[in-house]
Amino acid sequence: MATTHSIPSVDLADFTSGDAGRKAAFVQQLGKAYEEVGFVAVKNHGIPDELIADLYNYVQQFFKLPFETKHKYEIPELAGQRGYTSFGKEHAKGYEAPDLKEFFQFGQTVEDNDPISEQYPPNVTVDEVPAFTPTFFKAYRGFETSGKYLLQAIALYLGLDENYFDGKIHNGNSILRAIHYPPITQEPKSAIRAEQHEDINLITLLVGASADGLQILDKQNNWVPVTSLPEQIVVNVGDMLQRLTNNRLKSTTHRVVNPPREMWNTSRYSIPFFLHPKSEMKLDALESCITAANPLAYEPITAGEYLDERLREIGLKK
């Protein structure tokens, strides 16, 4: 039985206000929410409403294109990291059945001659929707900025230098993913559009999905619906941050369930921003997070090695 309780809400303006008291209160609220729930809704996140509306508009235009057109943007050797991935290619770790979705991924654009640019494939430009690529680029930068502030607050909560993550995420391997869950046309094999999973990255920023369906698993093992609140983004902890903090901050298990039968004919769109560091960032557990009560739980690994391992586990890399 799903219980409904709202996820904690924080106001990013408190952190950026220049007021030491408001900033400290924000750090505590955010850290506590991540220790206890793993998901938080963020107000005043700095990504303009009109940009979000444009993003959804162009995403819907893209997914309405004929399959033959979309398919030319599917580049198998990029393992889904850029461009289009067709329906049924990805599955959750530990599950055989593919998720009921198609998606498009947009990655980092290096603008400061950083040699790291050689690690990243170029983004795939969609010719049929001219505003698609520039809008994705603008949104990507907006999410990077909001994500940087949130990670600064997390660093302070963990007793690290405020700028601990800044250099690690500058020109990082983050991904902006547009997902389309098409209408359900026949009795589905599963009641789940996207099977339960945890995200791979440091944090995920999700801007309003077009329909309900997202659920998180709370600490009492109840599935709790998360509805996107107007003017807020939902931000959750991913596995990389969980590893770094030796499970002090928990990566949240979540899934997308099918709508009620009368809504089967509707599409669902969702645009998460997966904030990744540079591949060389070490995810070795922080000393401060290893205690007698919480002994070291993970082997050392870099972000790049970890991402590679997980892309194989979910079927995007062979």
Side-chain angles (χ1 to χ4, degrees), residues 90-277:
E90 186 183 66
H91 58 84
K93 177 183 171 181
Y95 291 86
E96 291 299 311
D99 289 341
L100 308 180
K101 66 188 181 196
E102 55 180 345
F103 56 90
F104 189 98
Q105 295 208 147
F106 187 89
Q108 184 62 265
T109 309
V110 176
E111 296 184 286
D112 58 3
N113 300 318
D114 184 336
I116 200 169
S117 63
E118 291 165 21
Q119 292 181 22
Y120 300 137
N123 276 305
V124 174
T125 302
V126 174
D127 302 323
E128 290 77 5
V129 187
F132 185 91
T133 305
T135 305
F136 260 70
F137 173 73
K138 215 162 143 187
Y140 188 103
R141 286 287 184 254
F143 280 118
E144 274 190 316
T145 302
S146 302
K148 184 169 98 167
Y149 287 134
L150 290 163
L151 284 170
Q152 286 174 350
I154 289 167
L156 289 170
Y157 185 75
L158 294 169
L160 301 167
D161 180 88
E162 181 172 339
N163 305 111
Y164 176 85
F165 290 102
D166 293 10
K168 295 172 170 58
I169 62 171
H170 174 67
N171 288 334
N173 194 18
S174 297
I175 291 287
L176 185 57
R177 173 187 268 200
I179 308 172
H180 174 223
Y181 301 93
I184 297 165
T185 51
Q186 61 201 60
E187 194 68 45
K189 288 193 178 71
S190 153
I192 308 285
R193 273 176 158 166
E195 194 47 86
Q196 67 180 69
H197 64 284
E198 294 78 39
D199 293 339
I200 303 170
N201 40 290
L202 289 167
I203 55 173
T204 301
L205 295 81
L206 174 69
V207 55
S210 66
D212 294 346
L214 178 64
Q215 297 184 337
I216 65 171
L217 192 62
D218 71 10
K219 298 285 182 282
Q220 290 72 45
N221 263 353
N222 296 311
W223 285 107
V224 181
V226 175
T227 46
S228 54
L229 308 158
E231 297 171 1
Q232 300 194 15
I233 57 175
V234 172
V235 185
N236 65 278
V237 172
D239 284 349
M240 290 185 181
L241 192 55
Q242 175 173 274
R243 280 187 88 107
L244 186 74
T245 64
N246 200 37
N247 296 330
R248 184 176 164 190
L249 301 186
K250 293 270 197 296
S251 181
T252 317
T253 302
H254 52 286
R255 66 183 185 181
V256 178
V257 296
N258 296 342
R261 188 176 279 268
E262 64 274 15
M263 301 289 284
W264 276 10
N265 62 341
T266 58
S267 279
R268 181 181 192 270
Y269 298 92
S270 172
I271 307 177
F273 179 77
F274 300 119
L275 198 154
H276 283 263

Side-chain angles (χ1 to χ4, degrees), residues 61-107:
Q61 285 181 35
F62 171 76
F63 284 120
K64 286 187 175 120
L65 294 169
F67 175 72
E68 293 64 40
T69 308
K70 291 184 288 193
H71 189 53
K72 69 181 187 188
Y73 298 115
E74 186 159 23
I75 303 158
E77 58 272 21
L78 295 183
Q81 295 308 287
R82 298 290 184 275
Y84 177 67
T85 298
S86 50
F87 189 79
K89 286 277 167 73
E90 186 183 66
H91 58 84
K93 177 183 171 181
Y95 291 86
E96 291 299 311
D99 289 341
L100 308 180
K101 66 188 181 196
E102 55 180 345
F103 56 90
F104 189 98
Q105 295 208 147
F106 187 89

Side-chain angles (χ1 to χ4, degrees), residues 273-311:
F273 179 77
F274 300 119
L275 198 154
H276 283 263
K278 294 172 177 159
S279 291
E280 69 260 23
M281 179 182 175
K282 288 184 162 60
L283 298 177
D284 306 14
L286 298 163
E287 288 294 325
S288 61
C289 296
I290 305 167
T291 61
N294 186 29
L296 180 63
Y298 300 105
E299 294 293 308
I301 197 168
T302 65
E305 290 163 345
Y306 186 59
L307 175 63
D308 202 57
E309 183 183 288
R310 287 290 298 273
L311 289 176

